[in-house]
Amino acid sequence: MAKITLDNLAHSYFPEPKGEEDYALKQLDHVWNDGEAYALLGASGCGKSTLLNIISGLLVPSRGRILFNDKDVTEQDTVARNIAQVFQFPVVYDTMTVGANLAFPLRNRRMEPAYVARRVQKIASMIGMEDMLERKARGLTADAKQKISLGRGMVREDVNAILFDEPLTVIDPHMKWELRTQLKALHNEFGHTMIYVTHDQTEALTFADKVVVMHDGKVVQLGTPEELFDTPEHTFVGYFIGSPGMNLIDADVSGDKAICAGHEVTLGGRYKPMSGRVQIGIRPEFVSITSQDQGLPVTVKRVEDVGRHQILRAEFEGRQINAILPEGLPIPAAPIRMKFAPERISVYVNDWRVAPDEVTATPSKEVVL
Amino acid sequence: MSLVLEGVSKLVEGEHHIYPTDLTLERGTMNVLLGPTLSGKTTLMRIMAGLDVPATGRVLWEGRDVTGMKVQDRKVAMVYQQFINYPSMTVYDNIASPLKLMGVSKSEIDKRVKDAAALMQLTPMLDRRPLELSGGQQQRCALARALVKNAGLVLLDEPLANLDYKLREELRAEIPRIFEESGAIFVYATTEPEEALLLGGNVGTMWEGRITQFGPTPKVYREPCDATTARVFSDPPMNFTRIEKTGDKISFGEGQSAPAQGALAGLADGVYTAGFRPDHLHLSAQGADGLHFQCHLNVTEITGSETFAHLSHGPDHWVGLLHGVQDLTLDAPIEVWLDVAHVYVFDEQGKLVAPAAFAMAA
Amino acid sequence: MNKVENNRAWFLVLPVLLLVAFSAVIPLMTVVNYSIQDILDPHTRFFVGDEWFREMLRDSQLQSALGRQLIFSFSVLAIQIPLGIAIALCMPTRGIWVAISLVLVALPLLVPWNVVGTIWQLFARGDIGLLGVTLNSIGIEYNYTRGSTAAWFTVLAMDVWHWTSLVVLLCYSGLRAIPDAYYQAARIDGASRIAVFRYIQLPRLAGVLTIAVLLRFMDSFMIYAEPFVLTGGGPGSSTTFLSQHLATMAIAQFDVSRAAAFSLIYFLIILAISWVFYTIITRATKD
């Protein structure tokens, strides 16, 4: 197990990068703690796979260093780094039995047979394949094969880190639940440093202690799921986390008031005067509808009943605003107004969040729905 | 205009891939086939398209028997999970290709291609080739090609499965809007309950070659006809536990009981299965007559806005979906509450015998 | 899968059907017809049943030609398959060397059979050929027109030179089809080079190897032009293989009935052995 340090790291696939835009991965300086579960979250092409390949040693960065437990491993190859990795598509040794597949990384390292057998048994019970150990891996379904790949990734106890590259892509939704929970339980039990690459926010947020949100080759925020949800540091994080993402409305902010197209919105704190593009951001979860004479007037476009809640898609001054409303709440067809919980509003200047000088309303722990 | 399946079934090597199925799809509707991998969604769609011939039964299109008619002679468009475009053609030519085959005039092609491209937000990419586009754009190109045909039946087989989460979310919101305009019959296969709910329209839940229930999406969600449907149409999966009815009382084990009211009152005494959705479990009492369970908390998962709690209750594994970020002690006892109005009751065969009271009220 | 049937498509098959009938079915039936008759001249023939077949099976010349043929074909497989895999494994995977090595490897395949025979006839000559002179000068007595071992060696070497490329190309394409993730996973699992070959490359080559083995077996079992040009079947009959034996019988001796019976037996042997190979390999890759 190891602490992972990214020191002044950057990577370009061009031999002689000219400008910023040639870099797939821009300036990264991070220390990732030993034994924590991290998720690298971002859209495809954001650089998350590049970063994973640099950590696993398949790629040498164009600039900077990578350290495991303060030891420079930038030039070391995958084997020397002592890591395990699970790939997007199942990699199994077809001609071996399921048991031999699980034992393979241990046998290659000449572990004691008794230990190998014990370990294989444990992992097999974790992935629910105890009764299949003697079966050949060939001809199993894709999700069974991916479970074997996951098992092989976990079988060694002495690895510095376990890397997961979108491992649940081929798994059915019902199975995803089970596997993710098992991964989580395993992390709690063994405390490996885990790095999980995904574009799926639910997977990232539920799996990780800390989520690293990447956008356009940069880390835009590193935080706990709660921080990413409550205080997105960048409008991209607001948009990317949550479904639907954060509502962003252009506004003029002065003191603890924002003016959106002539309508006043109360904020949860006092702000200094600011210049640039100013927006207020509010998550759909904290938008409510009201018939009183307050809040923003909106036109209802669609109401989607998604079972445990409803998504109201409305329009305000040509911009879509979404609200998440409780199951069964009647929504009037007439023009309605939307109210925002003041303590949940963030203010953004040129896409980056600005903290208030003075907080006037504090969020309650329980989200009221 | 309608598509009717009459007793359609499909056998492969003596095994039923589709059991005899009756289904009527009306013009201008969105119909979602929801079920896990290998439940028969694709097979059913292939029969609808005319790519496969059913072992038994008939396929009627506008009242005419089209069983065995070739796919080329039907007005069908299909979009797959893989992004299938002609790699050597530009996006424009890709979208235009079905029209060229139909012998539509040049000016008409140009108009229809541009309309479809605008709808799919592909206008700036018309001169590029598919492989120069992102996955989402490639799939939008395939969708545009399906739409431009003005096919009466559009089949979409997990079209968003290979896309990024966020793109999927955006296209999901777009698709119902696009399809409202076209007036065709849409059939959309997916494995994800949430996707089915977002798309709205009708849903047919599939399990091991059968359509277990077909109807308006919110109705199927709230009134699943059996435990299988409820399980398929619930993510996280529905929680189940054994209950017993004696007289006017329903006992949930652990001494928890609720008066048998409403639909429950008429049940014969005996053992049943109770089912309830994860979002109906709470950490505090909800009203006076809530049920109250002592569980063991195994793992929690936090999404930022919600907390998933994985619980053990006797032999049962439950998931609770709790609002907000909950700081809970792991591997420790925990108390949860459940409103009896949210409980579905299934008999031993899994048939729904009493729907949840709240669903009937809604 | 019972797909929608379109019977009009059968009309498109008709020309091919006629062509096949004309070029294959009718000649084959003629051969069958010949094999059960004794033909003294074009107008005098009578039915003899399976007599020619029984005679052929008892024929000692045929038996020894068959023996030689089997030894030859299995030697070809034993050398070319491992050698082909080994070369494919050594070939570069990226850069300009891919194209260069592919062209180099493919070159022998472009040379016509009888030309190959001629090339080797010169190449192996003890007086002027590079191979022959070199071997003789380092003290190995080598003359393929006299020593049957030398003749055998030369025919075998020639076939290896000519056809190993086919195995190489098939294996190379098979190896390229293995996703990179497998190699990465193997490195991470700490697998040795041998383990990578044994558990990743070989299982994934099974498909192309089946094709390679079948092609090489059938081709080598029917080898004709190269040894005919190189050794003419000699010295003695040490390199006379089945096809040459058959050709001599049918053309030189004009013994069409015997030759017909012989060729049918020949055909059945190839079919039987190919079937055995096919079932063994597919069964091995199935479980």
Side-chain angles (χ1 to χ4, degrees):
Chain A
M1 278 166 269
K3 175 178 86 177
I4 298 174
T5 311
L6 311 178
D7 176 23
N8 191 26
L9 202 69
H11 187 73
S12 171
Y13 287 102
F14 300 100
E16 281 168 28
K18 296 200 174 56
E20 175 92 317
E21 68 278 2
D22 280 357
Y23 279 88
L25 215 54
K26 290 151 195 166
Q27 184 73 22
L28 290 177
D29 279 288
H30 288 286
V31 178
W32 293 353
N33 298 331
D34 183 12
E36 285 204 71
Y38 289 88
L40 298 181
L41 175 66
S44 38
C46 71
K48 57 187 195 294
S49 300
T50 307
L51 181 53
L52 190 78
N53 287 341
I54 288 175
I55 296 170
S56 69
L58 296 169
L59 208 60
V60 178
S62 342
R63 196 182 72 209
R65 297 186 309 157
I66 170 159
L67 298 95
F68 283 7
N69 286 336
D70 300 319
K71 188 168 150 274
D72 190 344
V73 296
T74 317
E75 303 289 333
Q76 272 184 5
D77 73 354
T78 312
V79 183
R81 290 188 194 192
N82 196 20
I83 46 149
Q85 186 164 359
V86 180
F87 297 87
Q88 185 172 6
F89 295 102
V91 175
V92 295
Y93 304 105
D94 277 345
T95 50
M96 293 187 197
T97 61
V98 173
N101 258 286
L102 294 177
F104 195 57
L106 301 177
R107 290 206 180 126
N108 284 329
R109 288 175 178 80
R110 308 198 190 291
M111 305 284 194
E112 264 185 52
Y115 170 77
V116 173
R118 224 172 34 241
R119 203 58 205 151
V120 166
Q121 205 59 45
K122 174 150 184 88
I123 294 292
S125 75
M126 187 207 101
I127 58 173
M129 295 186 99
E130 300 112 304
D131 49 346
M132 285 200 188
L133 286 177
E134 298 304 317
R135 195 187 182 293
K136 277 258 161 71
R138 186 195 304 278
L140 290 172
T141 60
D143 46 326
K145 285 186 176 179
Q146 188 66 340
K147 284 205 272 180
I148 298 175
S149 306
L150 280 168
R152 236 186 27 244
M154 315 279 230
V155 78
R156 289 171 55 209
E157 288 176 287
D158 61 340
V159 289
N160 277 324
I162 307 179
L163 313 182
F164 301 90
D165 189 1
E166 311 206 4
L168 302 184
T169 308
V170 294
I171 310 275
D172 252 21
H174 290 78
M175 204 52 169
K176 270 186 193 171
W177 269 96
E178 224 172 273
L179 282 180
R180 222 170 53 208
T181 318
Q182 279 165 348
L183 278 181
K184 183 101 182 173
L186 211 88
H187 179 248
N188 291 344
E189 192 177 339
F190 296 114
H192 282 123
T193 309
M194 289 186 173
I195 299 172
Y196 189 110
V197 167
T198 180
H199 61 81
D200 186 323
Q201 45 157 312
T202 316
E203 268 177 40
L205 295 168
T206 48
F207 171 79
D209 302 321
K210 298 258 176 69
V211 179
V212 183
V213 184
M214 295 192 64
H215 178 49
D216 197 17
K218 276 185 279 213
V219 172
V220 284
Q221 189 170 358
L222 192 161
T224 61
E226 195 177 355
E227 285 163 359
L228 296 183
F229 184 79
D230 287 343
T231 52
E233 289 300 325
H234 189 274
T235 51
F236 177 80
V237 180
Y239 151 81
F240 206 76
I241 306 276
S243 114
M246 186 178 244
N247 298 303
L248 289 164
I249 306 155
D250 286 308
D252 287 319
V253 171
S254 62
D256 64 351
K257 295 272 183 288
I259 309 293
C260 309
H263 299 274
E264 194 181 276
V265 175
T266 310
L267 305 176
R270 284 182 186 287
Y271 291 83
K272 281 201 192 76
M274 46 191 80
S275 59
R277 185 183 188 197
V278 181
Q279 289 169 296
I280 59 168
I282 179 83
R283 293 218 171 263
E285 284 83 352
F286 308 117
V287 177
S288 52
I289 54 173
T290 167
S291 50
Q292 291 155 17
D293 200 21
Q294 48 173 318
L296 306 179
V298 295
T299 3
V300 175
K301 289 281 163 197
R302 288 177 70 88
V303 181
E304 289 163 6
D305 180 352
V306 291
R308 60 177 206 259
H309 53 239
Q310 307 177 74
I311 299 174
L312 169 66
R313 298 190 192 272
E315 210 171 79
F316 168 72
E317 300 290 328
R319 256 207 97 95
Q320 184 166 306
I321 300 186
N322 303 317
I324 292 184
L325 303 170
E327 181 176 10
L329 180 87
I331 295 167
I336 51 168
R337 283 175 177 264
M338 277 186 172
K339 213 172 64 175
F340 304 157
E343 71 279 8
R344 297 291 187 170
I345 300 175
S346 292
V347 175
Y348 295 91
V349 178
N350 297 332
D351 291 327
W352 290 95
R353 182 172 187 273
V354 209
D357 281 352
E358 177 200 338
V359 175
T360 52
T362 44
S364 56
K365 196 75 185 166
E366 179 82 8
V367 180
V368 185
L369 265 187
Chain B
M1 196 160 63
S2 65
L3 178 74
V4 181
L5 304 186
E6 280 183 2
V8 159
S9 73
K10 177 83 193 168
L11 284 151
V12 176
E13 288 167 7
E15 256 182 77
H16 270 103
H17 279 206
I18 297 288
Y19 288 91
T21 297
D22 296 308
L23 192 66
T24 304
L25 307 178
E26 294 296 338
R27 180 196 158 81
T29 54
M30 164 61 86
N31 305 281
V32 180
L33 295 177
L34 170 68
T37 320
L38 300 178
S39 59
K41 305 184 297 290
T42 305
T43 315
L44 203 59
M45 286 179 118
R46 289 178 62 88
I47 291 172
M48 290 178 184
L51 288 165
D52 278 352
V53 180
T56 62
R58 298 195 303 162
V59 181
L60 303 174
W61 176 250
E62 293 170 350
R64 210 156 54 89
D65 189 346
V66 292
T67 324
M69 190 196 270
K70 291 190 318 253
V71 66
Q72 291 92 326
D73 296 342
R74 299 195 194 180
K75 286 183 175 171
V76 177
M78 199 154 178
V79 177
Y80 302 85
Q81 184 177 347
Q82 295 81 16
F83 316 139
I84 298 174
N85 293 300
Y86 301 107
S88 60
M89 291 187 193
T90 61
V91 170
Y92 184 99
D93 290 333
N94 260 288
I95 302 174
S97 61
L99 297 175
K100 283 186 186 154
L101 285 175
M102 283 153 61
V104 177
S105 74
K106 262 224 164 96
S107 58
E108 174 71 12
I109 290 182
D110 193 63
K111 189 184 158 299
R112 274 159 77 173
V113 168
K114 286 195 170 141
D115 286 352
L119 200 62
M120 288 297 174
Q121 296 166 17
L122 283 171
T123 312
M125 293 98 182
L126 281 175
D127 293 332
R128 293 208 225 152
R129 282 174 216 287
L131 293 179
E132 297 164 22
L133 305 178
S134 71
Q137 291 163 343
Q138 286 184 41
Q139 191 64 323
R140 285 212 291 263
C141 179
L143 283 167
R145 207 174 58 232
L147 272 180
V148 83
K149 270 173 98 172
N150 271 340
L153 177 64
V154 180
L155 303 165
L156 305 153
D157 193 359
E158 299 189 41
L160 307 183
N162 284 357
L163 293 176
D164 267 17
Y165 187 90
K166 220 48 199 181
L167 263 170
R168 221 185 288 172
E169 191 181 298
E170 281 165 16
L171 276 177
R172 244 181 224 157
E174 273 176 45
I175 283 174
R177 180 176 61 81
I178 291 161
F179 295 165
E180 271 164 16
E181 293 170 22
S182 79
I185 297 176
F186 284 88
V187 183
Y188 189 113
T190 180
T191 56
E192 293 180 37
E194 204 191 333
E195 190 155 86
L197 285 162
L198 278 166
L199 291 168
N202 298 317
V203 71
T205 44
M206 292 203 70
W207 182 259
E208 292 181 346
R210 287 177 219 269
I211 294 188
T212 56
Q213 190 173 359
F214 183 80
T217 305
K219 187 173 155 63
V220 176
Y221 180 79
R222 298 222 161 73
E223 292 170 49
C225 66
D226 54 24
T228 306
T229 305
R231 195 179 295 116
V232 170
F233 207 165
S234 183
D235 183 37
M238 188 178 256
N239 299 314
F240 292 101
T241 192
R242 212 172 137 269
I243 56 169
E244 205 171 339
K245 179 176 186 279
T246 36
D248 55 359
K249 233 176 67 179
I250 293 197
S251 51
F252 281 76
E254 263 186 41
Q256 286 297 310
S257 66
Q261 291 168 338
L264 296 175
L267 288 182
D269 286 4
V271 174
Y272 296 92
T273 302
F276 52 92
R277 289 218 159 78
D279 49 312
H280 291 137
L281 272 184
H282 298 278
L283 287 181
S284 57
Q286 309 281 308
D289 52 354
L291 297 164
H292 170 222
F293 298 102
Q294 240 355 294
C295 296
H296 185 86
L297 179 65
N298 301 319
V299 176
T300 60
E301 296 174 305
I302 293 164
T303 68
S305 57
E306 288 164 329
T307 304
F308 295 111
H310 296 264
L311 311 162
S312 307
H313 179 260
D316 304 318
H317 289 279
W318 292 349
V319 182
L321 204 172
L322 312 165
H323 288 308
V325 173
Q326 308 285 345
D327 210 1
L328 305 168
T329 319
L330 294 188
D331 212 7
I334 186 170
E335 290 181 20
V336 291
W337 275 263
L338 172 68
D339 185 345
V340 77
H342 290 145
V343 174
Y344 296 86
V345 180
F346 303 97
D347 67 12
E348 272 175 272
Q349 282 75 46
K351 281 263 162 286
L352 183 74
V353 288
F358 91 102
M360 303 312 288
Chain C
M1 283 280 163
N2 34 359
K3 298 264 157 63
V4 181
E5 293 205 1
N6 185 346
N7 287 318
R8 269 178 298 176
W10 285 109
F11 287 107
L12 300 175
V13 183
L14 209 59
V16 180
L17 226 56
L18 287 173
L19 200 70
V20 170
F22 191 75
S23 66
V25 180
I26 297 171
L28 184 69
M29 285 301 114
T30 316
V31 171
V32 173
N33 194 18
Y34 284 171
S35 70
I36 49 174
Q37 302 189 55
D38 191 356
I39 301 167
L40 301 175
D41 65 68
H43 304 289
T44 329
R45 50 174 75 183
F46 47 89
F47 182 74
V48 293
D50 60 355
E51 193 186 317
W52 295 132
F53 287 93
R54 275 189 275 134
E55 190 185 313
M56 278 299 111
L57 289 173
R58 280 194 304 267
D59 183 54
S60 68
Q61 266 183 311
L62 190 145
Q63 283 168 0
S64 54
L66 178 64
R68 277 193 296 277
Q69 185 72 69
L70 285 171
I71 295 169
F72 178 73
S73 283
F74 283 101
S75 313
V76 159
L77 290 180
I79 297 169
Q80 293 184 3
I81 297 295
L83 186 63
I85 296 173
I87 294 173
L89 285 172
C90 297
M91 276 172 56
T93 55
R94 53 176 71 90
I96 53 159
W97 286 103
V98 173
I100 294 173
S101 58
L102 280 177
V103 169
L104 282 177
V105 165
L107 270 180
L109 295 173
L110 304 173
V111 185
W113 287 259
N114 55 345
V115 178
V116 173
T118 316
I119 291 173
W120 278 78
Q121 196 184 29
L122 295 171
F123 182 53
R125 266 176 69 161
D127 50 355
I128 54 166
L130 182 62
L131 178 70
V133 171
T134 312
L135 284 177
N136 283 325
S137 67
I138 57 170
I140 298 166
E141 201 182 307
Y142 173 79
N143 185 337
Y144 67 87
T145 53
R146 283 211 211 104
S148 57
T149 320
W152 252 95
F153 162 78
T154 315
V155 174
L156 204 55
M158 177 177 64
D159 197 79
V160 168
W161 179 83
H162 195 183
W163 287 111
T164 305
S165 298
L166 182 75
V167 183
V168 174
L169 292 179
L170 282 169
C171 289
Y172 186 74
S173 69
L175 286 172
R176 288 284 70 74
I178 302 174
D180 253 357
Y182 277 83
Y183 294 112
Q184 292 171 17
R187 270 163 72 191
I188 288 165
D189 289 341
S192 61
R193 184 71 195 83
I194 292 168
V196 169
F197 177 69
R198 166 76 183 78
Y199 296 114
I200 295 176
Q201 292 171 324
L202 202 54
R204 301 211 149 233
L205 282 181
V208 289
L209 281 179
T210 312
I211 297 170
V213 166
L214 282 178
L215 281 179
R216 284 314 302 130
F217 168 73
M218 290 189 295
D219 262 0
S220 65
F221 208 77
M222 299 185 297
I223 190 167
Y224 179 73
E226 297 125 298
F228 182 73
V229 173
L230 184 72
T231 63
S237 59
S238 63
T239 57
T240 304
F241 299 117
L242 283 175
S243 58
Q244 205 181 331
H245 193 66
L246 176 64
T248 316
M249 200 187 294
I251 296 158
Q253 302 163 0
F254 210 73
D255 199 349
V256 280
S257 299
R258 276 203 186 82
F262 179 16
S263 62
L264 285 174
I265 293 169
Y266 192 3
F267 171 67
L268 290 175
I269 292 172
I270 293 184
L271 208 62
I273 299 181
S274 297
W275 180 78
V276 169
F277 271 138
Y278 183 79
T279 21
I280 289 173
I281 298 172
T282 45
R283 196 167 293 167
T285 49
K286 224 173 219 162
D287 44 41

